[in-house]
Amino acid sequence: MPFPVLRALATATFFLLQTQTATSFPLMPRDIQWSFDLYPTQACNGTADPHAGHGSTGCRADLNSVASAYTLNTVADGCRIEFYDNTMCDGNELSDIAGPMTSPGTCRVPNLHRRYASYQVTCEKVEV
């Protein structure tokens, strides 16, 4: 087959797969406002426990295990993630806060040899 035909087939396949992905999984959020990965070690290695969502969450203690570190993937403007050393999001045991200005991809560990046992995301509502 000549190169233009192969290129046209590859392009058509790509668009077909994109359309199928968008329609086959309608419940998957396409507008993630925040995401991060928790790790069992302070070196951010081992199996990651990914968390992602849209909007505020309330207290979440549904972690696969108590984490020693995290890497931030994204935080939208108007959102912040609070990490806690307990499973009740008790402000007296706040370990870290991540927001839009936090460097993505950097391995972050809690202060004072704490761990992350729960988190809470707060996002401002934007009026349209």
Side-chain angles (χ1 to χ4, degrees), residues 3 18-20 26 35-36 40 43 45-46 50-51 60 62 69 72 93 96 107 109 114-115 118 126:
F3 181 75
Q18 292 295 358
T19 303
Q20 288 297 318
S35 71
F36 60 90
N45 56 17
H51 295 264
R60 295 283 170 95
D62 56 345
L72 182 68
E93 296 187 36
D96 200 1
C107 185
V109 296
R114 292 182 168 188
R115 293 178 165 239
S118 63
V126 179

Side-chain angles (χ1 to χ4, degrees), residues 21-22 24-35 51-55:
T21 301
S24 298
F25 303 103
L27 299 178
M28 291 183 66
R30 297 181 65 77
D31 52 348
I32 299 293
Q33 280 188 305
W34 52 268
S35 71
H51 295 264
H54 181 85

Side-chain angles (χ1 to χ4, degrees), residues 36-51 63-71 107-110 113-117:
F36 60 90
D37 298 320
L38 295 172
Y39 292 92
T41 68
Q42 290 189 347
C44 289
N45 56 17
T47 303
D49 180 14
H51 295 264
L63 312 180
N64 287 336
S65 65
V66 176
S68 295
Y70 76 91
T71 57
C107 185
R108 297 179 57 97
V109 296
H113 303 290
R114 292 182 168 188
R115 293 178 165 239
Y116 303 117

Side-chain angles (χ1 to χ4, degrees), residues 9-27:
L9 284 172
T11 302
T13 302
F14 172 78
F15 284 115
L16 178 64
L17 289 174
Q18 292 295 358
T19 303
Q20 288 297 318
T21 301
T23 59
S24 298
F25 303 103
L27 299 178

Side-chain angles (χ1 to χ4, degrees), residues 56-95:
S56 300
T57 63
C59 185
R60 295 283 170 95
D62 56 345
L63 312 180
N64 287 336
S65 65
V66 176
S68 295
Y70 76 91
T71 57
L72 182 68
N73 300 316
T74 187
V75 179
D77 287 337
C79 293
R80 72 180 194 173
I81 306 168
E82 299 169 324
F83 296 95
Y84 298 90
D85 188 32
N86 58 60
T87 58
M88 299 167 290
C89 298
D90 180 355
N92 292 325
E93 296 187 36
L94 181 67
S95 291

